[in-house]
Amino acid sequence: MGHTTSALRMTGVSRTYGAGEAAVRALDEVSLDLAAGSFTAIMGPSGSGKSTLLHCAAGLEQPDAGQVTVNGQPMPRGSETRLTRFRRERIGFVFQQYNLLPTLTALQNATLPLTLAGKRADRARAESLLTEVGLGGRMHHLPDQLSGGQRQRVAVARALITAPSVVFADEPTGALDTRSARDVLALLRSTVDRHGRTVVMVTHDPLAASYADTVVFLADGRLDPSGELRRPTPDAVAARLAHLGDRAVRVGA
Ligand code: ADP
Ligand code: MG
């Protein structure tokens, strides 16, 4: 790894849901090391553990085993309060369904993470972020006065407001039309290229994955042993996914 700064490191992270006969090992000793300033896509069949990986990495869920560090800082275990503070200071999250508060304007939604953390709502920063995501003229609109693509861009501005070490996005373009999806992907790409942010995105779309620097593949809660795909093209991603499906079917048979 040399002196590359690690923005996200997961070591032997496992997570099981349920118990006994009904137990599902959603993540099985996953280890990942993502450099600061990288854009990584996570792909895999439905139920392969992509969301669980993202939630464990982002501190939205606690793993049963293993360690997560963000910028070299270990994610606190046990205490929800410490975990929440850790998450608020270091992590941004973008959801498929935007998760904006319907009674707050774009500007208020974008500053919410600061408000929740008991910090001053940095209006100038929020305005500049909203302008950067192309919503300079929509700051005082409510979510239902915005298109899906515009709502997701508010969600990206909200995720960036605390200058987090890592921004996680779970199927951020899953609810969007092709054009809006492209805008959101270009926006995520530019936060990496222009601001050195670190982005980790789950997607099932090879075209979306091709915006990333690297794609990692999950099957049955494990990273695909064939390794990651660098400089992904949509065709190369689709080919790897097809093989992943083959193996998953064989394992399940
Ligand atoms: P993906 O995002 O790749 O579709 P998930 O991480 O959502 O996969 O789920 C991985 C596995 O864990 C699946 O078998 C799923 O049914 C199971 N799972 C996920 N969340 C829960 C939960 N809260 N309770 C029980 N099982 C769950
Ligand atoms: Mg999922």
Side-chain angles (χ1 to χ4, degrees):
M1 294 299 129
H3 295 282
T4 318
T5 314
S6 187
L8 175 71
R9 181 171 291 164
M10 301 177 78
T11 314
V13 172
S14 297
R15 178 76 161 98
T16 300
Y17 295 109
E21 292 277 293
V24 175
R25 202 166 174 77
L27 269 192
D28 194 3
E29 300 199 7
V30 167
S31 297
L32 260 183
D33 192 352
L34 306 182
S38 63
F39 186 173
T40 305
I42 296 173
M43 302 193 85
S46 177
S48 59
K50 303 181 298 294
S51 293
T52 306
L53 188 158
L54 224 56
H55 291 171
C56 287
L60 293 168
E61 272 179 59
Q62 304 213 30
D64 310 318
Q67 181 65 259
V68 178
T69 64
V70 176
N71 252 358
Q73 300 283 85
M75 177 106 48
R77 306 292 299 266
S79 157
E80 253 336 296
T81 314
R82 285 173 62 217
L83 188 59
T84 301
R85 190 183 318 129
F86 187 91
R87 200 168 57 224
R88 279 184 185 150
E89 286 170 359
R90 295 179 175 78
I91 284 160
F93 210 99
V94 178
F95 301 87
Q96 179 172 341
Q97 295 298 339
Y98 329 124
N99 288 16
L100 301 179
L101 291 190
T103 57
L104 300 185
T105 64
L107 188 64
Q108 290 165 334
N109 266 290
T111 53
L112 194 60
L114 296 174
T115 318
L116 288 174
K119 297 194 173 132
R120 192 173 57 86
D122 189 340
R123 187 183 164 122
R125 178 168 167 76
E127 285 176 352
S128 116
L129 277 169
L130 284 170
T131 303
E132 196 171 328
V133 303
L135 294 174
R138 297 276 191 289
M139 297 203 204
H140 304 293
H141 286 52
L142 295 169
D144 72 4
Q145 299 169 322
L146 299 171
S147 71
Q150 290 171 336
R151 288 181 210 189
Q152 196 60 303
R153 286 185 274 140
V154 174
V156 172
R158 177 182 61 185
L160 294 169
I161 192 84
T162 58
S165 302
V166 187
V167 175
F168 295 95
D170 195 353
E171 299 273 9
T173 60
L176 301 178
D177 61 80
T178 312
R179 168 96 200 272
S180 306
R182 217 168 45 206
D183 291 346
V184 167
L185 291 163
L187 180 58
L188 292 173
R189 183 71 252 175
S190 86
T191 67
V192 174
D193 293 341
R194 294 178 55 204
H195 303 296
R197 296 264 162 249
T198 307
V199 175
V200 184
M201 169 180 77
V202 165
T203 180
H204 63 263
D205 175 9
L207 186 61
S210 73
Y211 282 74
D213 306 310
T214 305
V215 186
V216 302
F217 297 90
L218 264 183
D220 286 327
R222 290 171 167 265
L223 289 181
D224 184 40
S226 307
E228 60 191 34
L229 179 64
R230 289 174 188 259
R231 298 178 172 275
T233 62
D235 285 348
V237 173
R240 279 288 298 271
L241 277 180
H243 288 293
L244 206 61
D246 289 350
R247 258 199 304 281
V249 169
R250 277 205 304 279
V251 169

